[in-house]
Amino acid sequence: MSNLLNDAAGCASLLTLAEDVLKQTQDIVTYLRANNIPEPTFAVDSDPTPESAEYSALQSSLTASLEDLQRLVEGPRKFLRSVCLLGLELTTFQIALDFDFFTIVAPGQEISVSELAKKAGLDADRTRRTVNMLMTHRFFQESRPGWISHSSSSVVLFQDPEIRAAVHYW
């Protein structure tokens, strides 16, 4: 929880939280620029975020404020629904990992969903639904209907077998 929601009344406004998010985002951009680090993007060739203690503190604070803002905007019912669906989202990753989606798709190239299904040995419908769910979390991207390629998030699972194994362990 961000410090804004930990005030005496526990009642930060949406606008106050949004302003806090803006300020913290500006602090991160200032840090990145001061350290000559490019801003992260969803592009497949985006540089990884820094692993310094200072960046980690900035990131943690911003993430807490973003989560607070999201929870206030969504309300408790939508939040609880999303928590209940987490198992389905984890299952999506398990399917993609079990059938090697992240290694079948070559970085910098697109593949049709039907070709991915064929190479993975999975039916086209389940492949499409799995890829669609992954794309909602910015894992893979669809440049044209029926064709996917890696995003900056999914390419990590192609490049790093240790991270892939850790995610698969869930």
Side-chain angles (χ1 to χ4, degrees):
M1 301 271 276
S2 78
N3 292 334
L4 289 175
L5 284 187
N6 291 331
D7 64 1
C11 56
S13 72
L14 291 175
L15 189 54
T16 302
L17 274 168
E19 289 168 346
D20 188 49
V21 165
L22 175 61
K23 185 199 176 308
Q24 290 181 63
T25 303
Q26 290 168 333
D27 292 345
I28 287 176
V29 170
T30 298
Y31 171 86
L32 293 171
R33 289 179 181 163
N35 290 282
N36 201 28
I37 300 169
E39 291 184 37
T41 68
F42 291 112
V44 72
D45 60 350
S46 181
D47 291 333
T49 55
E51 295 187 21
S52 70
E54 185 179 358
Y55 183 83
S56 182
L58 291 167
Q59 180 270 333
S60 293
S61 182
L62 176 59
T63 298
S65 293
L66 287 166
E67 289 170 350
D68 288 345
L69 183 60
Q70 180 179 0
R71 286 186 184 117
L72 284 179
V73 169
E74 287 181 346
R77 284 185 176 84
K78 284 188 180 182
F79 170 74
L80 290 169
R81 281 188 210 118
S82 69
V83 169
C84 292
L85 292 175
L86 187 57
L88 294 174
E89 293 172 349
L90 292 175
T91 300
T92 300
F93 278 93
Q94 292 302 305
I95 292 168
L97 289 160
D98 286 347
F99 289 92
D100 299 319
F101 286 16
F102 299 105
T103 56
I104 291 172
V105 178
Q109 298 180 12
E110 3 175 68
I111 187 171
S112 70
V113 173
S114 59
E115 183 67 18
L116 175 61
K118 183 178 174 183
K119 287 184 176 186
L122 189 64
D123 63 277
D125 179 58
R126 190 170 321 200
T127 300
R128 164 51 69 194
R129 287 185 285 128
T130 300
V131 167
N132 282 345
M133 177 66 87
L134 290 169
M135 286 190 302
T136 66
H137 296 287
R138 301 245 185 223
F139 284 81
F140 295 118
Q141 55 195 359
E142 189 173 41
S143 55
R144 55 188 166 130
W147 290 81
I148 64 162
S149 61
H150 277 292
S151 66
S152 61
S153 300
S154 61
V155 78
V156 169
L157 292 170
F158 175 89
Q159 295 169 336
D160 193 329
E162 290 181 14
I163 290 178
R164 194 168 54 247
V167 173
H168 205 179
Y169 180 72
W170 283 342

